[in-house]
Amino acid sequence: MSSLARPVEELIRCLVRLPGIGEKSATRLALHMLRAPQHEMEALAGAILAVKRKIRLCSRCFNFTDEDPCRICCDPKRESGVLCVVEEPGDLMALEGSGHYRGQYHVLHGVISPLDGVGPDDLRIAELTQRVEREGVREVILATNPSVEGEATAMYLAKLLKPLGVRVTRIAYGLPVGADVQYADHVTLGKALENRRDL
Amino acid sequence: MSSLARPVEELIRCLVRLPGIGEKSATRLALHMLRAPQHEMEALAGAILAVKRKIRLCSRCFNFTDEDPCRICCDPKRESGVLCVVEEPGDLMALEGSGHYRGQYHVLHGVISPLDGVGPDDLRIAELTQRVEREGVREVILATNPSVEGEATAMYLAKLLKPLGVRVTRIAYGLPVGADVQYADHVTLGKALENRRDL
């Protein structure tokens, strides 16, 4: 690619570092950026710099925020007394996107994973127990991922939180909506049967 | 998504405008950017601004460049007398990537497409005939896309250039390497038969 103009090469090099962007997508994005209106690209560059400059972690729930406490923590219309514990801010966004949850959140920023050297002290777990004690929390919903680490972290948190007298629940395992029983994996089918409900 | 911090929302809005980036990819990219090292994101923003500021069209071949004439036009090791005509700078990049071409290029910046209101005067066709006359070009390779418009543009250029006494060729139609005869479309199979070669 030595025939490319150096600034274009440099842009492609930066874009390739982004997740899910290979050499071809990066080239296509760079070509788009070359053609796109100047003001649009200035807005994009500005937005990237703005999140790096303005976004911090909320000191209460540890979600990404530009104001502290964050908008969810400050929202008086949200149910207090219910905390949904998630691994990452992206999980919080997905739950918010679903529109089915009106309580508060707590972002762990990871899962317990001894193989990766991540223990409870590396996560926002001490802050979680403090919140449960101080904020009069009635229920903690554990919404870590249905993975080995997510499950282990949920078990760890349940053991830690139950002695504090709080209700601890786990989001449901089962078939995703729109899925096919025929093609579901064995573990999911087992969980779906185990967690069956009366109609 | 009103629970998102405003700078993050703004970044996602900018990212969604890029080609091939939907709401989910944009969110994932934004979350990555929030976590990525500051200097990496400053490099990305800087690279975007740099291409907008520094990249122009080469006055000879109309490829994107930061120096005029561009690196390919200035390269004394490249064969002069052969011009490869492409629709877009991306096509030029792909041909360069193949490493099979050592001549010069000419970028049309589009194809003749009456339905879209694009006529010969909207493309770099006048400049092409001037180059053929002035630069002692022996062969013009037409590498427009194998689409209706690309084909029509190639035919138009052939008619225009042949009277100038230059050899005009068209890149080959046929089966792409790795393809399956069984699944090839009828038109491609027809062309592949028509353009068969003696072994």
Side-chain angles (χ1 to χ4, degrees):
Chain A
M1 301 272 257
S2 67
S3 58
L4 277 180
R6 270 176 210 93
V8 182
E9 269 181 358
E10 176 58 26
L11 176 57
I12 292 175
R13 225 185 342 260
C14 288
L15 290 169
V16 158
R17 284 197 209 113
L18 299 175
I21 309 262
E23 185 86 31
K24 284 212 172 177
S25 312
T27 306
R28 195 184 48 186
L29 284 173
L31 286 171
H32 169 86
M33 288 172 175
L34 278 161
R35 284 179 196 295
Q38 176 89 18
H39 68 92
E40 234 178 62
M41 289 304 107
E42 276 168 6
L44 173 61
I48 294 170
L49 296 173
V51 295
K52 299 307 284 182
R53 205 173 53 238
K54 291 186 193 160
I55 299 294
R56 301 281 170 269
L57 295 184
C58 171
S59 61
R60 198 160 161 230
C61 73
F62 302 98
N63 186 20
F64 290 131
T65 182
D66 56 338
E67 358 177 315
D68 193 15
C70 74
R71 281 204 255 173
I72 296 176
C73 284
C74 290
D75 188 346
K77 275 180 269 158
R78 300 202 65 121
E79 202 181 337
S80 62
V82 183
L83 274 191
C84 181
V85 176
V86 294
E87 293 180 20
E88 300 291 348
D91 304 326
L92 184 158
M93 283 185 201
L95 286 161
E96 279 299 289
S98 81
H100 285 290
Y101 182 67
R102 296 298 302 161
Q104 303 282 336
Y105 289 96
H106 190 87
V107 185
L108 297 176
H109 286 273
V111 271
I112 298 171
S113 175
L115 284 177
D116 300 319
V118 182
D121 296 344
D122 301 312
L123 307 175
R124 301 296 186 170
I125 290 179
E127 291 90 342
L128 173 62
T129 53
Q130 279 166 25
R131 286 186 72 186
V132 168
E133 283 170 333
R134 282 187 204 152
E135 294 178 20
V137 173
R138 297 186 313 277
E139 179 178 355
V140 174
I141 303 172
L142 299 171
T144 52
N145 284 327
S147 62
V148 174
E149 290 86 4
E151 196 59 25
T153 306
M155 291 304 116
Y156 177 89
L157 291 176
K159 255 194 195 164
L160 192 74
L161 297 173
K162 274 187 183 168
L164 304 178
V166 68
R167 183 181 172 205
V168 181
T169 56
R170 178 89 174 103
I171 49 165
Y173 275 114
L175 289 173
V177 176
D180 216 315
V181 172
Q182 189 179 352
Y183 300 119
D185 67 282
H186 299 171
V187 183
T188 301
L189 270 184
K191 294 273 184 188
L193 281 168
E194 193 183 315
N195 301 331
R196 67 189 180 280
R197 291 170 50 186
D198 288 307
L199 292 179
Chain B
M1 300 274 260
S2 67
S3 59
L4 276 181
R6 268 176 211 93
V8 182
E9 269 180 359
E10 175 58 26
L11 177 56
I12 292 175
R13 223 182 348 255
C14 287
L15 289 169
V16 158
R17 283 196 210 115
L18 299 175
I21 310 258
E23 186 86 31
K24 284 211 172 178
S25 312
T27 306
R28 196 183 50 184
L29 284 174
L31 287 170
H32 169 87
M33 288 172 175
L34 279 161
R35 285 178 195 296
Q38 177 90 17
H39 67 91
E40 235 177 61
M41 288 305 108
E42 277 169 4
L44 173 60
I48 293 169
L49 296 174
V51 296
K52 298 309 284 183
R53 205 175 52 239
K54 292 185 192 162
I55 300 294
R56 301 280 171 270
L57 295 184
C58 170
S59 61
R60 198 161 161 230
C61 73
F62 301 99
N63 187 20
F64 289 131
T65 182
D66 55 339
E67 358 178 315
D68 194 13
C70 74
R71 283 204 255 171
I72 296 177
C73 284
C74 290
D75 188 344
K77 277 180 269 162
R78 299 201 66 121
E79 202 182 336
S80 63
V82 183
L83 274 191
C84 181
V85 176
V86 295
E87 293 180 19
E88 300 291 349
D91 303 326
L92 184 159
M93 284 186 202
L95 285 162
E96 279 298 288
S98 81
H100 284 290
Y101 182 66
R102 297 298 301 160
Q104 304 280 336
Y105 288 96
H106 191 87
V107 184
L108 296 176
H109 285 274
V111 271
I112 298 171
S113 174
L115 285 176
D116 301 318
V118 181
D121 295 343
D122 300 312
L123 308 174
R124 300 296 185 169
I125 290 179
E127 291 90 342
L128 174 62
T129 52
Q130 279 166 23
R131 285 186 73 186
V132 168
E133 283 171 333
R134 281 185 205 157
E135 294 178 22
V137 174
R138 296 187 311 277
E139 179 178 355
V140 174
I141 303 172
L142 300 172
T144 51
N145 284 326
S147 61
V148 173
E149 290 86 3
E151 196 60 24
T153 306
M155 291 304 115
Y156 177 89
L157 291 176
K159 255 194 196 164
L160 193 72
L161 296 173
K162 274 186 182 170
L164 304 178
V166 67
R167 183 180 171 205
V168 181
T169 57
R170 178 89 173 103
I171 50 165
Y173 275 115
L175 289 172
V177 175
D180 217 316
V181 172
Q182 189 178 351
Y183 300 120
D185 66 282
H186 298 173
V187 182
T188 301
L189 270 184
K191 294 273 184 187
L193 281 168
E194 192 183 315
N195 300 330
R196 67 191 181 278
R197 290 172 49 187
D198 287 308
L199 292 179

